[in-house]
Amino acid sequence: MNKPSTTHPSLSRRALAGLAGLAVAALCASAAPALAQSGDLAARLTAAVPPGTRLVVAEQSDQASIPWTLSNASVGVPYEITFANFNGGPAVLEAVIAGGADIGYIGEAPLPIAVASGVDSVVAVALFANPGSPGNYFLVAQPNSGIGKVEDLRGRTVAYPPGTGRHMVLSGILHQRGLDLASTVKGVQLAGSEVAPTFSSRGVDAAIVLGQQYFRLGKPPVLADGRGHNWGLNALVVRKSLLDDPRKSAAVADYLRRAVALYNWQGAKPDEWIKASYVQKQGLTFEQGKFLYETEGQGAFYPIDERSLTVFQEIADGLRVTGALKREVLIAPFVTSRFNDIVTAQNQADGVVPRPLVQPGPTTASK
């Protein structure tokens, strides 16, 4: 039942020591690997879900609910599923923590930021990444403002949504130029949906905006994009306690296989995805959507292994260096490799080979 609704420094010694804890972080590792090694994975995962199970998926910008049906990932789903849209990763995390959602999609910054604030009840069960992507994050300035480069932002106001990927990218861009949001640049914290309107009304000198907002704002001057500051890493997170519930855990395992399949479908059917998402949902032209899709590129789901954990820890360490985090965090206790075999098996079934997790150097952009 489908109801759409409602860069980075090297690892510290502490972080390297945390790699040894990956196996411990694989909470209740049991059924998923065995399922992936025998028989029809899809059928066995579906059959393992008890009747009457319900699953609430928290998403952003209909990122999962749109391809859920188009990709046929919804065929034969053994539970009642509801998709709930939220504005930004922090809101998704709040819903998961509070029990309003069972599983949620967030970017690479919200989990380390939440952990640094004391949250310890969530765990990432899957990661997908798009190394080298600018993430369609654009640092833009007011036209005819005399701001022609990032360094010109000294003493100026810049709007951003705190605790998000945009916060992380902005912090990285500024840090690279010897600036920061604490003293040299006047950061203006706003909800994600308020950043573009505030910039449009000339309430700030600059803003970090998303791709669709960039076009709606009339393509203002771009000072820099997210390349080199953004891994395009996203996490699917659940409450740790949910993995102790056999009913919910079985539903999550089944959903993760379908999530990998629908994400791989986007890469195989880009025109269909552009029309459904960028055009029909976001109101852009096909040409604008194609530009954003090709600029961002297509990522893949990765197993939660030593390399992906290293990258995630580097992200957390980078957030600390750039000032987005107030203390160091160790990310290993907040991920689990329990479902790795499901991710690997579905990628193989779809003929998808994830690119190496390697980050190119940052660049400036001019559009």
Side-chain angles (χ1 to χ4, degrees), residues 138-141 157-160 170 195-196 199 204-209 217:
F138 300 108
L139 177 57
V140 298
T157 53
V158 182
Y160 68 97
L170 175 60
V195 171
F199 179 87
V204 291
D205 298 309
I208 184 86
V209 301
L217 291 170

Side-chain angles (χ1 to χ4, degrees), residues 13-28:
R13 292 180 181 177
R14 180 168 170 255
L16 285 170
L19 292 173
L22 181 58
V24 176
L27 302 176
C28 305

